[in-house]
Amino acid sequence: QTKKFIKHVKDECEAYNVDFILANSKSVQYLNSTASRVGGYFMGMTNKGELKVARKSKLFLELLVHEFCHLHQWAEGSDIWIKSDASYALVEQWLEFNIEPTNIDMHLDLCMQLELDCEKRAVKMMKKWGLPIDTKRYTKGANAYMYLWRYLKYTRRWPHPNNSPYKRKAILEQMPERFL
């Protein structure tokens, strides 16, 4: 199933004019950021997009599904994708360049809502495709990721990919198996 799913992602990326990159590494540089390494990302622009995932990450398939769901949010023009677009850019600038946007709480919340929508889509997709992913454990990790959006206000930096909240056993044990 995994190979079929990856081929499906590749075909969908082609159809939507999205560059599909499977990096031969454990993490990837996030766009133009000098500080952020991530397991993967999706960037959708007006006529072009990029979906990039670190193939050697232990969570490769989960990351691929997640980023692919962002592609779907973008391609559908979902309400939360549109609402959060400017907020995501502001949060990235706030983290990278220390700009001070007004109402950072609202922007962080919109980004978190976008991610929550994506996480729910990802679990549905994992089940639909019968992918070898423990969706209860994935949901616990997704909840930990939602808390990260709250925590960013205080740390003002992304955690290193090896230290992501969804990889920390002590944090995962505290998370529920259903979305909050």
Side-chain angles (χ1 to χ4, degrees):
Q1 270 316 73
T2 300
K3 286 183 181 179
K4 286 182 183 177
F5 178 73
I6 293 170
K7 180 168 179 355
H8 174 70
V9 172
K10 183 180 178 191
D11 291 346
E12 289 272 306
C13 284
E14 261 182 46
Y16 287 111
N17 196 26
V18 170
D19 291 333
F20 180 46
I21 303 161
L22 295 179
N24 199 25
S25 59
K26 291 182 180 181
S27 64
V28 296
Q29 195 70 38
Y30 179 68
L31 299 173
N32 297 324
S33 171
T34 56
S36 298
R37 292 203 61 85
V38 295
Y41 66 84
F42 172 75
M43 174 56 67
M45 294 160 268
T46 307
N47 298 318
K48 184 89 171 149
E50 182 173 282
L51 192 160
K52 188 173 187 176
V53 179
R55 185 187 320 213
K56 290 185 178 180
S57 168
K58 289 180 183 178
L59 300 175
F60 161 72
L61 188 55
E62 295 177 13
L63 292 165
L64 178 60
V65 174
H66 175 91
E67 299 308 333
F68 186 56
C69 287
H70 277 311
L71 180 150
H72 278 257
Q73 289 172 315
W74 168 74
E76 294 167 12
S78 73
D79 287 344
I80 191 60
W81 181 270
I82 293 166
K83 276 191 220 176
S84 65
D85 192 38
S87 290
Y88 229 104
L90 279 169
V91 167
E92 288 171 353
Q93 292 173 2
W94 176 70
L95 293 170
E96 183 83 11
F97 304 112
N98 291 322
I99 67 151
E100 295 297 333
T102 56
N103 203 351
I104 192 64
D105 291 326
M106 178 199 72
H107 297 295
L108 288 167
D109 188 59
L110 281 169
C111 293
M112 187 179 72
Q113 288 177 41
L114 173 78
E115 294 299 337
L116 181 59
D117 177 73
C118 184
E119 298 293 13
K120 289 177 179 179
R121 289 170 182 248
V123 168
K124 285 179 186 174
M125 190 170 289
M126 290 167 190
K127 290 177 179 179
K128 175 184 171 186
W129 279 86
L131 296 173
I133 297 170
D134 178 345
T135 55
K136 287 183 179 179
R137 187 195 57 73
Y138 180 86
T139 301
K140 286 178 149 235
N143 283 322
Y145 182 50
M146 294 309 106
Y147 281 110
L148 171 64
W149 284 96
R150 295 283 185 232
Y151 197 60
L152 277 176
K153 183 175 179 188
Y154 306 102
T155 63
R156 205 166 177 165
R157 66 185 171 102
W158 291 110
H160 187 276
N162 293 336
N163 198 30
S164 295
Y166 49 83
K167 291 183 178 178
R168 305 279 308 270
K169 186 178 178 183
I171 294 174
L172 286 177
E173 288 173 350
Q174 302 299 313
M175 295 296 117
E177 293 177 349
R178 63 176 178 75
F179 288 109
L180 298 178

